């Protein structure tokens, strides 16, 4: 059957990650006949988007593929007629992320881009914007798929599901990174490894690992406990306690360090903030040098320097998913979708991150069954935080926001929750009109 060629709209096109996405499109052009890519960004990102646009044109010319490239500030034009809308924007830019990291640290609380109060602040800024984008999709491309990478990816996808009609799937590079790292330590190919993944975004466990049908979960846990490389570029590699891993009986994701090794991670964050700066402050410097490289007119491929960012494999995660939907592959992916009974401990409309079968119809999660008590408590608590955050972000509801922070396991005390929340509202004033406070 002849299928129509594809139009992709990339919202946040000026991101330094975009060349990885473009490389992924070029590599799959036979399977995914992309005819148009429309990058959109905000006016303040004009310079970055122009650099990305020029590099993209060089990349596709070098590869000899024919794709119509557009770059504009006209979101509606980008969305009109799109088959897939990819969201990878950052409201407030890296400065807002740096604030998210520094505010909690001031009160002795983890300051991180996506978990704890940092992720909370990012969600408050992001949710109103993504809902606006969804209104445009509903009107201008009602059949399009929204693939959301914007963090906190699970929580943001839950807001989209609850408040719009858009067909949305949330995506993260952690599951594919876990697969790569586990395959490496087990000395097998990523394809030989099967993982049963379930949890929430950035709180994902591989409950079982198999190679060739043999359960190797305990072996993996032992290797992680023995110090096998197991982290992302943006998370410090705090060693895992082997006894704890054995007791846990499931393979945690690198982000679990914030929840299970909070003191050590906090100490790392404080030390980094005082010496080289928070992660956002470090990334600002990396971004500058990346964009300097991208400007080079002789550059026509994705530079390896991009690998110093935490988002490795994000292009594979999104394009393999598009491949599966477009070509109706019915293949397995780890995605963020509505639970619908896959984890009986959670409500049906809670967005979870889990293994799912993906085809032309979208993503259907594989049932994992009731989570063990050792895991379900943390999941329920973080999900409660997420549900409250969505409500707070949509309705500008201070009480819900405060209760979200009070439910977050990384916030130890409501007096700190209040101080942090008030600082967040103050510093993000321009991005949080829904709260109507000064
Ligand atoms: C990880 C996460 C992403 C996040 C990225 C940040 O890979 O899974 O959700 O965006 O790190 O990386 P950065 O280089 O910006 O710190």
């Amino acid at each position: 059957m002849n299928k129509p060629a594809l139009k992709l709209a990339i919202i946040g096109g000026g991101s330094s990650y975009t060349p990885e996405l473009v490389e992924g499109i070029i590599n799959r052009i036979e399977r995914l006949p992309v005819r148009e890519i429309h990058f959109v960004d905000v006016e303040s990102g004009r310079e970055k988007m122009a650099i990305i646009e020029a590099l993209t044109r060089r990349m596709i010319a070098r590869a000899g593929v024919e794709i119509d490239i557009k770059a504009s500030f006209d979101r509606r034009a980008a969305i009109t007629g799109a088959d897939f809308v990819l969201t990878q924007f950052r409201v407030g830019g890296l400065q807002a992320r740096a604030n998210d990291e520094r505010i909690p640290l001031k009160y002795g609380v983890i300051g991180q881009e996506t978990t704890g109060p940092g992720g909370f602040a990012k969600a408050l800024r992001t949710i109103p914007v993504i809902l606006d984008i969804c209104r445009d999709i509903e009107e201008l491309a009602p059949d399009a798929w929204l693939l959301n990478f914007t963090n906190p990816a699970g929580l943001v996808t839950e807001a989209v599901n609850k408040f719009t009609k858009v067909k949305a799937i949330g995506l993260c590079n952690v599951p594919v990174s876990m697969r790569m790292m586990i395959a490496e330590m087990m000395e097998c190919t990523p394809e030989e490894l099967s993982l049963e993944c379930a949890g929430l975004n950035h709180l994902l466990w591989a409950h079982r690992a198999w190679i060739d049908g043999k359960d190797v979960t305990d072996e993996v846990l032992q290797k992680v406990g023995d110090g096998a490389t197991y982290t992302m570029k943006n998370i410090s590699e705090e060693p895992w306690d082997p006894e704890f891993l054995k007791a846990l009986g499931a393979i945690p994701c690198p982000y679990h360090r914030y929840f299970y090794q909070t003191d050590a991670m906090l100490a790392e964050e404080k030390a980094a903030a005082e010496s080289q700066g928070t992660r956002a402050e470090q990334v600002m410097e990396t971004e500058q040098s990346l964009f300097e490289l991208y400007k080079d007119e002789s550059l026509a491929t994705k530079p390896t320097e991009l690998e110093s960012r935490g988002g490795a494999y994000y292009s594979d995660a999104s394009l393999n998913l598009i491949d599966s939907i477009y070509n109706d592959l019915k293949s397995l992916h780890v995605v963020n979708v509505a639970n619908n009974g896959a984890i009986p401990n959670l409500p049906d409309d809670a967005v979870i991150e889990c293994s799912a079968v993906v085809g032309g119809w979208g993503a259907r999660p594989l049932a994992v069954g009731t989570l063990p008590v050792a895991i379900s408590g943390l999941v329920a608590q973080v999900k409660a935080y997420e549900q409250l955050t969505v409500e707070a972000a949509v309705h500008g509801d201070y009480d819900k926001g405060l209760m979200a922070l009070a439910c977050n396991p990384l916030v130890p005390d409501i007096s700190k929750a209040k101080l942090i929340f008030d600082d967040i509202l103050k510093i993000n004033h321009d991005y949080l009109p829904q709260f109507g406070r000064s």
Side-chain angles (χ1 to χ4, degrees), residues 49-107:
M49 196 166 65
I51 296 171
I52 293 289
E53 181 190 357
L55 173 57
T56 302
R57 289 188 189 282
R58 294 196 298 273
M59 287 174 78
I60 61 165
R62 180 179 186 268
V65 296
E66 266 182 49
I67 303 176
D68 185 13
I69 303 298
K70 293 202 173 91
S72 76
F73 307 108
D74 187 348
R75 190 172 83 197
R76 287 174 63 83
I79 289 174
T80 301
D83 300 286
F84 291 89
V85 178
L86 277 65
T87 40
Q88 53 172 31
F89 60 92
R90 189 188 288 285
V91 180
L94 283 168
Q95 183 53 53
R97 173 175 172 188
N99 299 336
D100 293 347
E101 293 166 344
R102 288 229 174 237
I103 291 171
L105 274 185
K106 201 166 113 188
Y107 301 103

Side-chain angles (χ1 to χ4, degrees), residues 17 97 113 151 172-174 202 232 234 255 279 309-310:
Y17 283 116
R97 173 175 172 188
E113 178 194 13
N151 274 321
C172 179
N173 64 330
V174 163
H202 288 183
M232 323 282 292
N234 58 318
Y255 279 85
R279 177 71 188 170
R309 296 290 307 273

